[in-house]
Short mmCIF file of all heavy atoms in Angstrom, two decimals:
data_model
loop_
_atom_site.label_atom_id
_atom_site.label_comp_id
_atom_site.label_asym_id
_atom_site.label_seq_id
_atom_site.Cartn_x
_atom_site.Cartn_y
_atom_site.Cartn_z
N LEU A 515 -85.77 -45.13 185.62
CA LEU A 515 -86.97 -45.69 185.03
C LEU A 515 -87.78 -44.54 184.44
O LEU A 515 -87.85 -43.46 185.02
CB LEU A 515 -87.81 -46.41 186.09
CG LEU A 515 -87.09 -47.42 186.97
CD1 LEU A 515 -88.11 -48.12 187.88
CD2 LEU A 515 -86.30 -48.41 186.17
N LYS A 516 -88.40 -44.83 183.29
CA LYS A 516 -89.18 -43.80 182.61
C LYS A 516 -90.63 -44.22 182.46
O LYS A 516 -90.93 -45.39 182.21
CB LYS A 516 -88.60 -43.54 181.22
CG LYS A 516 -89.35 -42.49 180.40
CD LYS A 516 -88.75 -42.34 179.01
CE LYS A 516 -89.56 -41.37 178.14
NZ LYS A 516 -89.01 -41.24 176.78
N CYS A 517 -91.51 -43.27 182.63
CA CYS A 517 -92.94 -43.49 182.45
C CYS A 517 -93.50 -42.35 181.60
O CYS A 517 -93.15 -41.18 181.80
CB CYS A 517 -93.64 -43.53 183.80
SG CYS A 517 -95.44 -43.64 183.71
N GLU A 518 -94.37 -42.70 180.67
CA GLU A 518 -95.03 -41.70 179.84
C GLU A 518 -96.51 -42.03 179.73
O GLU A 518 -96.88 -43.17 179.49
CB GLU A 518 -94.39 -41.67 178.44
CG GLU A 518 -94.94 -40.57 177.54
CD GLU A 518 -94.17 -40.44 176.23
OE1 GLU A 518 -93.20 -41.20 176.01
OE2 GLU A 518 -94.55 -39.56 175.42
N GLN A 519 -97.34 -41.01 179.92
CA GLN A 519 -98.78 -41.24 179.78
C GLN A 519 -99.32 -40.44 178.60
O GLN A 519 -98.94 -39.27 178.40
CB GLN A 519 -99.53 -40.93 181.10
CG GLN A 519 -99.41 -39.52 181.61
CD GLN A 519 -100.53 -38.61 181.18
OE1 GLN A 519 -101.49 -39.03 180.52
NE2 GLN A 519 -100.45 -37.34 181.56
N HIS A 520 -100.21 -41.09 177.85
CA HIS A 520 -100.76 -40.51 176.62
C HIS A 520 -102.26 -40.27 176.78
O HIS A 520 -103.02 -40.35 175.82
CB HIS A 520 -100.50 -41.46 175.45
CG HIS A 520 -99.08 -41.91 175.33
ND1 HIS A 520 -98.14 -41.27 174.56
CD2 HIS A 520 -98.41 -42.94 175.93
CE1 HIS A 520 -96.98 -41.89 174.67
NE2 HIS A 520 -97.11 -42.90 175.49
N LEU A 521 -102.68 -40.02 178.01
CA LEU A 521 -104.11 -39.93 178.34
C LEU A 521 -104.55 -38.52 178.67
O LEU A 521 -105.72 -38.32 179.05
CB LEU A 521 -104.42 -40.88 179.51
CG LEU A 521 -104.10 -42.35 179.25
CD1 LEU A 521 -104.15 -43.16 180.53
CD2 LEU A 521 -105.07 -42.92 178.22
N GLY A 522 -103.64 -37.57 178.63
CA GLY A 522 -104.01 -36.19 178.97
C GLY A 522 -104.24 -35.97 180.45
O GLY A 522 -104.89 -35.01 180.84
N HIS A 523 -103.71 -36.86 181.28
CA HIS A 523 -103.88 -36.74 182.73
C HIS A 523 -102.92 -35.72 183.32
O HIS A 523 -101.95 -35.30 182.69
CB HIS A 523 -103.65 -38.10 183.40
CG HIS A 523 -104.72 -39.09 183.11
ND1 HIS A 523 -104.54 -40.45 183.27
CD2 HIS A 523 -106.00 -38.94 182.69
CE1 HIS A 523 -105.66 -41.09 182.97
NE2 HIS A 523 -106.55 -40.18 182.60
N ASN A 524 -103.20 -35.31 184.56
CA ASN A 524 -102.33 -34.32 185.21
C ASN A 524 -101.83 -34.77 186.57
O ASN A 524 -101.35 -33.95 187.37
CB ASN A 524 -103.05 -32.96 185.31
CG ASN A 524 -104.43 -33.09 185.91
OD1 ASN A 524 -104.74 -34.07 186.58
ND2 ASN A 524 -105.26 -32.09 185.68
N ALA A 525 -101.95 -36.04 186.88
CA ALA A 525 -101.36 -36.60 188.09
C ALA A 525 -100.67 -37.91 187.73
O ALA A 525 -101.18 -38.68 186.91
CB ALA A 525 -102.42 -36.86 189.16
N MET A 526 -99.51 -38.14 188.34
CA MET A 526 -98.77 -39.37 188.06
C MET A 526 -98.23 -39.95 189.37
O MET A 526 -97.99 -39.22 190.34
CB MET A 526 -97.63 -39.11 187.08
CG MET A 526 -98.13 -38.64 185.71
SD MET A 526 -96.85 -38.53 184.45
CE MET A 526 -96.64 -40.26 184.01
N TYR A 527 -98.04 -41.26 189.38
CA TYR A 527 -97.74 -42.00 190.61
C TYR A 527 -96.67 -43.06 190.35
O TYR A 527 -96.62 -43.65 189.27
CB TYR A 527 -98.99 -42.74 191.10
CG TYR A 527 -100.26 -41.92 191.17
CD1 TYR A 527 -100.99 -41.64 190.01
CD2 TYR A 527 -100.75 -41.45 192.38
CE1 TYR A 527 -102.16 -40.90 190.06
CE2 TYR A 527 -101.92 -40.71 192.44
CZ TYR A 527 -102.61 -40.44 191.27
OH TYR A 527 -103.78 -39.70 191.33
N TRP A 528 -95.85 -43.31 191.36
CA TRP A 528 -94.98 -44.49 191.38
C TRP A 528 -95.44 -45.41 192.51
O TRP A 528 -95.62 -44.96 193.65
CB TRP A 528 -93.53 -44.12 191.63
CG TRP A 528 -92.77 -43.62 190.44
CD1 TRP A 528 -92.23 -42.38 190.26
CD2 TRP A 528 -92.44 -44.35 189.25
NE1 TRP A 528 -91.61 -42.29 189.04
CE2 TRP A 528 -91.72 -43.50 188.40
CE3 TRP A 528 -92.70 -45.67 188.82
CZ2 TRP A 528 -91.24 -43.89 187.15
CZ3 TRP A 528 -92.23 -46.05 187.58
CH2 TRP A 528 -91.51 -45.18 186.75
N TYR A 529 -95.59 -46.69 192.17
CA TYR A 529 -95.89 -47.73 193.15
C TYR A 529 -94.80 -48.80 193.08
O TYR A 529 -94.24 -49.06 192.03
CB TYR A 529 -97.22 -48.43 192.83
CG TYR A 529 -98.47 -47.62 193.09
CD1 TYR A 529 -98.98 -46.77 192.11
CD2 TYR A 529 -99.16 -47.73 194.28
CE1 TYR A 529 -100.14 -46.05 192.33
CE2 TYR A 529 -100.33 -47.01 194.51
CZ TYR A 529 -100.81 -46.17 193.52
OH TYR A 529 -101.97 -45.46 193.74
N LYS A 530 -94.60 -49.47 194.21
CA LYS A 530 -93.69 -50.62 194.27
C LYS A 530 -94.50 -51.86 194.57
O LYS A 530 -95.31 -51.87 195.52
CB LYS A 530 -92.64 -50.40 195.37
CG LYS A 530 -91.69 -51.57 195.57
CD LYS A 530 -90.73 -51.31 196.71
CE LYS A 530 -89.80 -52.49 196.94
NZ LYS A 530 -88.88 -52.26 198.10
N GLN A 531 -94.29 -52.91 193.77
CA GLN A 531 -94.99 -54.18 193.98
C GLN A 531 -93.96 -55.26 194.29
O GLN A 531 -93.21 -55.68 193.43
CB GLN A 531 -95.82 -54.57 192.76
CG GLN A 531 -96.66 -55.82 192.99
CD GLN A 531 -97.52 -56.19 191.78
OE1 GLN A 531 -97.22 -55.83 190.64
NE2 GLN A 531 -98.61 -56.90 192.03
N SER A 532 -93.96 -55.68 195.56
CA SER A 532 -93.06 -56.75 195.99
C SER A 532 -93.87 -58.01 196.22
O SER A 532 -95.07 -57.94 196.51
CB SER A 532 -92.35 -56.36 197.29
OG SER A 532 -91.68 -55.13 197.16
N ALA A 533 -93.19 -59.13 196.16
CA ALA A 533 -93.87 -60.41 196.37
C ALA A 533 -94.46 -60.45 197.78
O ALA A 533 -93.84 -60.01 198.74
CB ALA A 533 -92.89 -61.56 196.18
N LYS A 534 -95.68 -60.95 197.88
CA LYS A 534 -96.35 -61.18 199.17
C LYS A 534 -96.67 -59.91 199.95
O LYS A 534 -96.98 -59.97 201.12
CB LYS A 534 -95.50 -62.11 200.07
CG LYS A 534 -95.09 -63.41 199.43
CD LYS A 534 -96.27 -64.28 199.10
CE LYS A 534 -95.82 -65.63 198.54
NZ LYS A 534 -96.97 -66.46 198.12
N LYS A 535 -96.59 -58.76 199.30
CA LYS A 535 -96.91 -57.50 199.97
C LYS A 535 -97.88 -56.70 199.11
O LYS A 535 -97.86 -56.82 197.88
CB LYS A 535 -95.65 -56.66 200.21
CG LYS A 535 -94.69 -57.27 201.18
CD LYS A 535 -93.40 -56.46 201.27
CE LYS A 535 -93.62 -55.11 201.89
NZ LYS A 535 -92.34 -54.36 202.08
N PRO A 536 -98.72 -55.87 199.74
CA PRO A 536 -99.59 -55.01 198.94
C PRO A 536 -98.77 -53.99 198.15
O PRO A 536 -97.65 -53.66 198.55
CB PRO A 536 -100.45 -54.30 199.99
CG PRO A 536 -100.27 -55.07 201.24
CD PRO A 536 -98.92 -55.70 201.18
N LEU A 537 -99.35 -53.50 197.07
CA LEU A 537 -98.69 -52.42 196.36
C LEU A 537 -98.48 -51.24 197.31
O LEU A 537 -99.37 -50.87 198.06
CB LEU A 537 -99.55 -51.94 195.19
CG LEU A 537 -99.39 -52.68 193.87
CD1 LEU A 537 -100.18 -53.97 193.90
CD2 LEU A 537 -99.85 -51.81 192.71
N GLU A 538 -97.28 -50.67 197.22
CA GLU A 538 -96.94 -49.55 198.09
C GLU A 538 -96.83 -48.27 197.26
O GLU A 538 -96.07 -48.24 196.29
CB GLU A 538 -95.60 -49.80 198.78
CG GLU A 538 -95.50 -51.06 199.60
CD GLU A 538 -94.06 -51.34 200.00
OE1 GLU A 538 -93.49 -50.51 200.74
OE2 GLU A 538 -93.50 -52.35 199.55
N LEU A 539 -97.56 -47.25 197.66
CA LEU A 539 -97.44 -45.96 197.00
C LEU A 539 -96.12 -45.32 197.40
O LEU A 539 -95.80 -45.22 198.58
CB LEU A 539 -98.61 -45.07 197.41
CG LEU A 539 -98.63 -43.67 196.82
CD1 LEU A 539 -98.85 -43.72 195.31
CD2 LEU A 539 -99.72 -42.83 197.49
N MET A 540 -95.36 -44.89 196.40
CA MET A 540 -94.06 -44.26 196.68
C MET A 540 -94.15 -42.74 196.56
O MET A 540 -93.81 -42.02 197.48
CB MET A 540 -93.00 -44.80 195.72
CG MET A 540 -92.77 -46.29 195.80
SD MET A 540 -91.61 -46.86 194.55
CE MET A 540 -90.06 -46.20 195.18
N PHE A 541 -94.56 -42.29 195.40
CA PHE A 541 -94.59 -40.85 195.12
C PHE A 541 -95.84 -40.49 194.33
O PHE A 541 -96.33 -41.29 193.56
CB PHE A 541 -93.37 -40.42 194.29
CG PHE A 541 -92.04 -40.71 194.92
CD1 PHE A 541 -91.27 -41.78 194.48
CD2 PHE A 541 -91.56 -39.91 195.94
CE1 PHE A 541 -90.04 -42.05 195.05
CE2 PHE A 541 -90.33 -40.17 196.52
CZ PHE A 541 -89.58 -41.24 196.09
N VAL A 542 -96.30 -39.25 194.55
CA VAL A 542 -97.41 -38.71 193.78
C VAL A 542 -97.02 -37.33 193.28
O VAL A 542 -96.50 -36.51 194.04
CB VAL A 542 -98.69 -38.58 194.63
CG1 VAL A 542 -99.83 -38.01 193.79
CG2 VAL A 542 -99.08 -39.92 195.23
N TYR A 543 -97.27 -37.09 192.00
CA TYR A 543 -97.12 -35.76 191.42
C TYR A 543 -98.49 -35.30 190.93
O TYR A 543 -99.17 -36.02 190.20
CB TYR A 543 -96.13 -35.78 190.26
CG TYR A 543 -94.70 -35.67 190.68
CD1 TYR A 543 -94.00 -36.80 191.09
CD2 TYR A 543 -94.04 -34.46 190.68
CE1 TYR A 543 -92.68 -36.71 191.49
CE2 TYR A 543 -92.71 -34.36 191.08
CZ TYR A 543 -92.03 -35.49 191.48
OH TYR A 543 -90.72 -35.40 191.88
N SER A 544 -98.86 -34.11 191.34
CA SER A 544 -100.11 -33.51 190.89
C SER A 544 -99.78 -32.18 190.24
O SER A 544 -99.15 -31.33 190.89
CB SER A 544 -101.05 -33.32 192.07
OG SER A 544 -102.21 -32.64 191.67
N LEU A 545 -100.18 -32.02 189.00
CA LEU A 545 -99.88 -30.78 188.26
C LEU A 545 -98.38 -30.48 188.33
O LEU A 545 -97.96 -29.34 188.53
CB LEU A 545 -100.70 -29.62 188.82
CG LEU A 545 -102.21 -29.84 188.80
CD1 LEU A 545 -102.95 -28.72 189.54
CD2 LEU A 545 -102.71 -29.95 187.37
N GLU A 546 -97.58 -31.55 188.19
CA GLU A 546 -96.12 -31.50 188.11
C GLU A 546 -95.45 -31.15 189.44
O GLU A 546 -94.23 -30.95 189.47
CB GLU A 546 -95.67 -30.54 187.01
CG GLU A 546 -96.20 -30.95 185.64
CD GLU A 546 -96.07 -29.86 184.59
OE1 GLU A 546 -95.06 -29.14 184.63
OE2 GLU A 546 -96.98 -29.74 183.74
N GLU A 547 -96.19 -31.11 190.51
CA GLU A 547 -95.58 -30.88 191.83
C GLU A 547 -95.71 -32.13 192.68
O GLU A 547 -96.76 -32.77 192.70
CB GLU A 547 -96.27 -29.71 192.55
CG GLU A 547 -95.97 -28.36 191.96
CD GLU A 547 -96.44 -27.23 192.86
OE1 GLU A 547 -96.69 -27.47 194.05
OE2 GLU A 547 -96.56 -26.11 192.35
N ARG A 548 -94.64 -32.47 193.40
CA ARG A 548 -94.69 -33.65 194.26
C ARG A 548 -95.59 -33.35 195.45
O ARG A 548 -95.35 -32.38 196.18
CB ARG A 548 -93.30 -34.03 194.74
CG ARG A 548 -93.29 -35.40 195.42
CD ARG A 548 -91.98 -35.69 196.13
NE ARG A 548 -90.80 -35.48 195.32
CZ ARG A 548 -89.56 -35.70 195.77
NH1 ARG A 548 -89.36 -36.12 196.99
NH2 ARG A 548 -88.52 -35.47 194.99
N VAL A 549 -96.59 -34.17 195.64
CA VAL A 549 -97.54 -33.93 196.74
C VAL A 549 -97.47 -35.03 197.78
O VAL A 549 -98.08 -34.92 198.84
CB VAL A 549 -98.98 -33.78 196.22
CG1 VAL A 549 -99.08 -32.56 195.33
CG2 VAL A 549 -99.43 -35.02 195.47
N GLU A 550 -96.79 -36.12 197.49
CA GLU A 550 -96.71 -37.19 198.48
C GLU A 550 -95.40 -37.94 198.30
O GLU A 550 -94.98 -38.23 197.18
CB GLU A 550 -97.88 -38.15 198.32
CG GLU A 550 -98.01 -39.16 199.45
CD GLU A 550 -99.41 -39.76 199.54
OE1 GLU A 550 -100.34 -39.24 198.91
OE2 GLU A 550 -99.56 -40.75 200.26
N ASN A 551 -94.78 -38.22 199.44
CA ASN A 551 -93.54 -38.99 199.46
C ASN A 551 -93.63 -39.89 200.67
O ASN A 551 -93.44 -39.45 201.80
CB ASN A 551 -92.34 -38.05 199.55
CG ASN A 551 -91.02 -38.81 199.69
OD1 ASN A 551 -91.00 -40.02 199.87
ND2 ASN A 551 -89.93 -38.10 199.62
N ASN A 552 -93.96 -41.14 200.44
CA ASN A 552 -94.28 -42.04 201.54
C ASN A 552 -93.05 -42.64 202.19
O ASN A 552 -92.82 -43.83 202.10
CB ASN A 552 -95.23 -43.14 201.05
CG ASN A 552 -96.66 -42.67 201.02
OD1 ASN A 552 -96.96 -41.55 201.40
ND2 ASN A 552 -97.54 -43.51 200.55
N SER A 553 -92.24 -41.81 202.82
CA SER A 553 -91.08 -42.30 203.56
C SER A 553 -90.21 -43.22 202.71
O SER A 553 -89.75 -44.26 203.17
CB SER A 553 -91.53 -43.05 204.82
OG SER A 553 -92.32 -42.22 205.62
N VAL A 554 -90.01 -42.82 201.49
CA VAL A 554 -89.19 -43.61 200.58
C VAL A 554 -87.72 -43.25 200.78
O VAL A 554 -87.39 -42.07 200.91
CB VAL A 554 -89.61 -43.33 199.12
CG1 VAL A 554 -88.76 -44.14 198.16
CG2 VAL A 554 -91.09 -43.66 198.93
N PRO A 555 -86.82 -44.24 200.82
CA PRO A 555 -85.38 -43.93 201.00
C PRO A 555 -84.88 -43.00 199.91
O PRO A 555 -85.34 -43.02 198.76
CB PRO A 555 -84.73 -45.31 200.90
CG PRO A 555 -85.79 -46.28 201.25
CD PRO A 555 -87.08 -45.68 200.77
N SER A 556 -83.89 -42.21 200.26
CA SER A 556 -83.37 -41.20 199.34
C SER A 556 -82.65 -41.80 198.14
O SER A 556 -82.33 -41.07 197.18
CB SER A 556 -82.44 -40.24 200.08
OG SER A 556 -81.36 -40.97 200.64
N ARG A 557 -82.38 -43.09 198.15
CA ARG A 557 -81.76 -43.71 196.98
C ARG A 557 -82.74 -43.79 195.80
O ARG A 557 -82.35 -44.12 194.69
CB ARG A 557 -81.22 -45.10 197.33
CG ARG A 557 -82.23 -46.07 197.91
CD ARG A 557 -81.51 -47.36 198.35
NE ARG A 557 -82.44 -48.37 198.83
CZ ARG A 557 -82.78 -48.50 200.10
NH1 ARG A 557 -82.28 -47.66 201.00
NH2 ARG A 557 -83.62 -49.46 200.47
N PHE A 558 -84.01 -43.49 196.07
CA PHE A 558 -85.02 -43.33 195.02
C PHE A 558 -85.32 -41.84 194.87
O PHE A 558 -85.73 -41.19 195.84
CB PHE A 558 -86.31 -44.06 195.37
CG PHE A 558 -86.17 -45.55 195.46
CD1 PHE A 558 -85.87 -46.16 196.68
CD2 PHE A 558 -86.34 -46.34 194.34
CE1 PHE A 558 -85.73 -47.53 196.76
CE2 PHE A 558 -86.22 -47.72 194.42
CZ PHE A 558 -85.91 -48.31 195.63
N SER A 559 -85.18 -41.31 193.67
CA SER A 559 -85.38 -39.89 193.45
C SER A 559 -86.30 -39.69 192.25
O SER A 559 -85.93 -40.00 191.12
CB SER A 559 -84.03 -39.21 193.18
OG SER A 559 -84.21 -37.86 192.86
N PRO A 560 -87.51 -39.17 192.46
CA PRO A 560 -88.43 -38.98 191.34
C PRO A 560 -88.21 -37.64 190.65
O PRO A 560 -87.67 -36.70 191.22
CB PRO A 560 -89.80 -39.01 192.02
CG PRO A 560 -89.54 -38.41 193.36
CD PRO A 560 -88.14 -38.81 193.75
N GLU A 561 -88.67 -37.60 189.41
CA GLU A 561 -88.61 -36.36 188.64
C GLU A 561 -89.81 -36.32 187.71
O GLU A 561 -90.11 -37.31 187.05
CB GLU A 561 -87.33 -36.28 187.82
CG GLU A 561 -87.22 -35.03 186.96
CD GLU A 561 -86.05 -35.08 185.98
OE1 GLU A 561 -85.35 -36.11 185.93
OE2 GLU A 561 -85.89 -34.10 185.24
N CYS A 562 -90.48 -35.17 187.66
CA CYS A 562 -91.65 -35.03 186.80
C CYS A 562 -91.47 -33.74 185.99
O CYS A 562 -91.93 -32.67 186.41
CB CYS A 562 -92.93 -34.99 187.62
SG CYS A 562 -94.45 -34.98 186.64
N PRO A 563 -90.83 -33.80 184.83
CA PRO A 563 -90.54 -32.59 184.06
C PRO A 563 -91.77 -31.96 183.41
O PRO A 563 -91.77 -30.75 183.16
CB PRO A 563 -89.56 -33.09 182.99
CG PRO A 563 -89.86 -34.55 182.85
CD PRO A 563 -90.28 -35.02 184.21
N ASN A 564 -92.80 -32.75 183.16
CA ASN A 564 -94.05 -32.22 182.62
C ASN A 564 -95.16 -33.23 182.94
O ASN A 564 -94.88 -34.32 183.46
CB ASN A 564 -93.95 -31.96 181.11
CG ASN A 564 -93.51 -33.20 180.35
OD1 ASN A 564 -94.19 -34.22 180.36
ND2 ASN A 564 -92.35 -33.12 179.68
N SER A 565 -96.36 -32.90 182.59
CA SER A 565 -97.49 -33.73 183.04
C SER A 565 -97.55 -35.08 182.35
O SER A 565 -98.29 -35.96 182.78
CB SER A 565 -98.81 -32.98 182.80
OG SER A 565 -98.98 -32.69 181.43
N SER A 566 -96.76 -35.27 181.30
CA SER A 566 -96.81 -36.54 180.57
C SER A 566 -95.68 -37.50 180.92
O SER A 566 -95.73 -38.66 180.54
CB SER A 566 -96.75 -36.29 179.06
OG SER A 566 -97.86 -35.54 178.63
N HIS A 567 -94.66 -37.02 181.59
CA HIS A 567 -93.47 -37.83 181.85
C HIS A 567 -93.14 -37.88 183.33
O HIS A 567 -93.24 -36.87 184.05
CB HIS A 567 -92.26 -37.27 181.08
CG HIS A 567 -92.40 -37.37 179.60
ND1 HIS A 567 -93.04 -36.41 178.85
CD2 HIS A 567 -92.00 -38.33 178.74
CE1 HIS A 567 -93.02 -36.78 177.57
NE2 HIS A 567 -92.39 -37.94 177.48
N LEU A 568 -92.71 -39.06 183.75
CA LEU A 568 -92.31 -39.27 185.13
C LEU A 568 -91.09 -40.19 185.13
O LEU A 568 -91.07 -41.19 184.41
CB LEU A 568 -93.45 -39.91 185.92
CG LEU A 568 -93.24 -40.14 187.41
CD1 LEU A 568 -93.12 -38.81 188.15
CD2 LEU A 568 -94.39 -40.95 187.99
N PHE A 569 -90.10 -39.84 185.93
CA PHE A 569 -88.89 -40.65 186.03
C PHE A 569 -88.69 -41.08 187.48
O PHE A 569 -89.13 -40.41 188.41
CB PHE A 569 -87.66 -39.85 185.57
CG PHE A 569 -87.68 -39.49 184.11
CD1 PHE A 569 -88.27 -38.29 183.70
CD2 PHE A 569 -87.11 -40.31 183.16
CE1 PHE A 569 -88.30 -37.94 182.35
CE2 PHE A 569 -87.13 -39.97 181.81
CZ PHE A 569 -87.72 -38.79 181.41
N LEU A 570 -87.99 -42.19 187.63
CA LEU A 570 -87.54 -42.63 188.94
C LEU A 570 -86.05 -42.92 188.83
O LEU A 570 -85.64 -43.88 188.17
CB LEU A 570 -88.31 -43.86 189.42
CG LEU A 570 -88.05 -44.29 190.85
CD1 LEU A 570 -88.49 -43.20 191.83
CD2 LEU A 570 -88.78 -45.60 191.17
#
Side-chain angles (χ1 to χ4, degrees):
Chain A
L515 310 185
K516 179 183 176 182
C517 175
E518 185 173 0
Q519 60 94 4
H520 309 268
L521 301 168
H523 291 161
N524 50 20
M526 297 188 77
Y527 312 78
W528 280 116
Y529 288 87
K530 176 183 179 182
Q531 185 178 24
S532 305
K534 307 296 184 184
K535 294 175 68 176
L537 273 80
E538 303 169 63
L539 179 67
M540 299 175 72
F541 301 104
V542 180
Y543 276 82
S544 175
L545 303 172
E546 301 166 37
E547 289 191 17
R548 191 190 310 181
V549 297
E550 190 160 347
N551 175 352
N552 278 357
S553 303
V554 179
S556 59
R557 56 186 184 268
F558 295 92
S559 175
E561 178 189 3
C562 186
N564 55 62
S565 60
S566 298
H567 295 86
L568 183 65
F569 295 90
L570 188 62

